[in-house]
Amino acid sequence: MKITVNYREIDFEKSTLQDLLVLYRFNPERITVQINETFVPPTRYADTILQEGDVLEIGRA
């Protein structure tokens, strides 16, 4: 599926936000995440399913 992460479109073959963070080696304790302009709390990373066309912004906490 194609998603946009920090203004870059990528192909992502897994399904969860946690999978994405592991792939790119983000430390969940040091970042904030928005999906389609909605903040996602760290406790929801593992069960947040990404969808085709999602727009993510990952920043430093």
Side-chain angles (χ1 to χ4, degrees):
M1 79 177 123
K2 290 191 184 294
I3 60 174
T4 302
V5 179
N6 292 351
Y7 307 102
R8 290 188 142 164
E9 188 174 86
I10 64 167
D11 286 314
F12 186 60
E13 301 303 323
K14 305 231 180 195
S15 63
T16 69
L17 176 56
Q18 183 70 40
D19 293 333
L20 180 78
L21 298 177
V22 168
L23 179 67
Y24 287 99
R25 299 181 180 169
F26 284 108
N27 180 344
E29 296 174 2
R30 296 183 175 204
I31 61 169
T32 61
V33 179
Q34 285 186 20
I35 299 177
N36 302 323
E37 299 183 4
T38 301
F39 279 100
V40 180
T43 56
R44 302 290 307 203
Y45 291 171
D47 61 351
T48 298
I49 305 298
L50 299 175
Q51 304 289 326
E52 179 81 26
D54 277 347
V55 177
L56 289 80
E57 290 187 37
I58 301 173
R60 294 183 184 180

